[in-house]
Amino acid sequence: MATALDKPPAAVDSSSASSRPKNGFRKYWHLYAAISPFYLLFLCFGLIPVGFSFYLSLHRWDGLGSMEWAGLSQYKYLLSDTDFWNSIGNTLIIWALATFPMIFLAMITAVMLNSAVRFKNVYRFAYFLPNVTSVVAIAIVFGSVFSTNFGLVNALLQAVGIDQIAWLNTPWGIKIAIATLMTWQWTGYNAIIFLAGLQTIPSEVYEAARMDGAGPVQTFFRITLPMMRPVLLFVLIISTVTGLQSFSEPQVLLQNTSNDSTFAGGPGHSGQTMVLYFFQQTFDNNDFGYGAAVAWGIFLVVIIFSIVNWRLVQRRGED
């Protein structure tokens, strides 16, 4: 006598299994439709412009006439372009002058904020305020601060018996002025990030260190810095990406000394960063094809230095 166990499996099971993906998509289509605007906007304003910029870098185009095929000739010229290499050197020097003091000051500020008891939120707001202030407004103020005749910096130098310095008319003065502006702008922002990282360190670790006789300096270098390494890596990468793309700071700060497009970046192009050079080639010279090639060169430089920074921090962590 046949039982229920002897019956073969129903054929409906295989067909239903094959139809599950379709039923799943039909079931959740409204969820895909809800998130589709982001991907459509990213496609229209992200991927398509990036692809077009690479296509444009292979052509010569003034923005009005027809495109002329150039192949890789513009990239070959980019490798021998002394102005482009000069802009890379300026950008790296300004980045170094701004980033390392900024990270040091941000870490010290975060430690002080973490140990503060009263008015902690007021201090956070005060330190974060420069980051949300318009870069143009900040650059105008710093242009007055570093003015040769009436600047605050030269007034302080004269007060201690040092001669005036033409900050915005000398190569190193320009770089120091731009780096100081960037340091002032980003110190508070990174201090808030460091503060968030400090608050994730358990207080029991510090209590155990104090019981073992560790002082504040030993605690900072033996506990705080090792446990803050992921946050430090994040800040370093973000600072590298933003620092190597500096544009508004030199553009506004040096506008009075760079009235001519061939004089962009101040005397001797000392403040001409990579993005400022890209802007000059694209919109001042109307060479959109070569400007796109410069943009891809900037992208490659940013990627290389981000990887180098990441590897250096990771290697120190392994050691």
Side-chain angles (χ1 to χ4, degrees), residues 62-191:
D62 60 0
L64 295 176
S66 58
M67 294 184 180
E68 179 184 352
W69 174 258
L72 298 177
S73 60
Q74 299 190 118
Y75 288 99
K76 293 179 181 178
Y77 178 76
L78 183 66
L79 295 176
S80 60
D81 188 355
T82 56
D83 290 334
F84 176 68
W85 289 105
N86 177 68
S87 69
I88 293 178
N90 292 335
T91 305
L92 294 179
I93 293 173
I94 294 172
W95 169 81
L97 291 175
T99 300
F100 297 112
M102 178 267 297
I103 290 179
F104 173 77
L105 293 174
M107 180 64 75
I108 298 300
T109 303
V111 172
M112 295 173 61
L113 288 174
N114 194 42
S115 60
V117 179
R118 302 179 61 185
F119 307 111
K120 183 179 295 186
N121 292 330
V122 176
Y123 294 140
R124 291 179 185 177
F125 174 78
Y127 285 116
F128 190 76
L129 185 61
N131 185 254
V132 297
T133 305
S134 171
V135 179
V136 176
I138 296 173
I140 292 174
V141 172
F142 270 77
S144 301
V145 170
F146 284 96
S147 175
T148 303
N149 298 322
F150 306 103
L152 178 61
V153 176
N154 279 334
L156 294 176
L157 292 179
Q158 285 184 318
V160 296
I162 302 177
D163 294 335
Q164 290 183 344
I165 299 176
W167 293 101
L168 302 181
N169 290 284
T170 57
W172 277 100
I174 289 173
K175 293 179 175 64
I176 292 174
I178 298 174
T180 304
L181 189 159
M182 296 172 62
T183 301
W184 185 83
Q185 181 187 7
W186 290 100
T187 296
Y189 173 83
N190 291 308

Side-chain angles (χ1 to χ4, degrees), residues 16-314:
S16 62
S18 61
S19 63
R20 282 174 187 172
K22 291 184 179 180
N23 292 337
F25 178 78
R26 292 174 182 174
K27 182 178 180 180
Y28 299 108
W29 69 268
H30 55 286
L31 300 179
Y32 293 110
I35 63 175
S36 61
F38 168 79
Y39 294 100
L40 293 176
L41 291 174
F42 179 72
L43 177 66
C44 295
F45 299 100
L47 291 180
I48 293 178
V50 168
F52 180 74
S53 68
F54 180 73
Y55 174 79
L56 186 59
S57 67
L58 304 176
H59 295 77
R60 294 185 181 91
W61 189 45
D62 60 0
L64 295 176
S66 58
M67 294 184 180
E68 179 184 352
W69 174 258
L72 298 177
S73 60
Q74 299 190 118
Y75 288 99
K76 293 179 181 178
Y77 178 76
L78 183 66
L79 295 176
S80 60
D81 188 355
T82 56
D83 290 334
F84 176 68
W85 289 105
N86 177 68
S87 69
I88 293 178
N90 292 335
T91 305
L92 294 179
I93 293 173
I94 294 172
W95 169 81
L97 291 175
T99 300
F100 297 112
M102 178 267 297
I103 290 179
F104 173 77
L105 293 174
M107 180 64 75
I108 298 300
T109 303
V111 172
M112 295 173 61
L113 288 174
N114 194 42
S115 60
V117 179
R118 302 179 61 185
F119 307 111
K120 183 179 295 186
N121 292 330
V122 176
Y123 294 140
R124 291 179 185 177
F125 174 78
Y127 285 116
F128 190 76
L129 185 61
N131 185 254
V132 297
T133 305
S134 171
V135 179
V136 176
I138 296 173
I140 292 174
V141 172
F142 270 77
S144 301
V145 170
F146 284 96
S147 175
T148 303
N149 298 322
F150 306 103
L152 178 61
V153 176
N154 279 334
L156 294 176
L157 292 179
Q158 285 184 318
V160 296
I162 302 177
D163 294 335
Q164 290 183 344
I165 299 176
W167 293 101
L168 302 181
N169 290 284
T170 57
W172 277 100
I174 289 173
K175 293 179 175 64
I176 292 174
I178 298 174
T180 304
L181 189 159
M182 296 172 62
T183 301
W184 185 83
Q185 181 187 7
W186 290 100
T187 296
Y189 173 83
N190 291 308
I192 299 301
I193 296 177
F194 282 139
L195 178 62
L198 289 173
Q199 293 178 344
T200 61
I201 301 177
S203 58
E204 294 81 3
V205 178
Y206 291 112
E207 294 176 0
R210 283 193 293 267
M211 293 179 62
D212 291 338
V217 177
Q218 290 179 322
T219 302
F220 179 77
F221 286 100
R222 297 294 181 89
I223 296 178
T224 304
L225 279 184
M227 300 189 72
M228 286 285 291
R229 187 173 291 111
V231 182
L232 182 62
L233 175 61
F234 172 78
V235 170
L236 186 59
I237 296 299
I238 295 299
S239 301
T240 300
V241 173
T242 56
L244 295 181
Q245 298 183 66
S246 57
F247 167 73
S248 300
E249 298 86 355
Q251 173 74 355
V252 180
L253 192 62
L254 302 173
Q255 61 180 348
N256 293 329
T257 60
S258 304
N259 296 325
D260 188 1
S261 62
T262 61
F263 207 50
H269 303 288
S270 302
Q272 188 180 60
T273 60
M274 293 186 294
V275 180
L276 187 58
Y277 180 68
F278 156 75
F279 180 85
Q280 177 193 5
Q281 293 297 319
T282 305
F283 300 104
D284 289 342
N285 298 341
N286 293 324
D287 193 350
F288 290 88
Y290 186 64
V294 172
W296 279 96
I298 295 172
F299 172 75
L300 183 61
V301 172
V302 172
I303 291 296
I304 291 175
F305 275 87
S306 299
I307 294 175
V308 169
N309 288 330
W310 178 74
R311 291 297 301 168
L312 289 176
V313 175
Q314 288 293 102

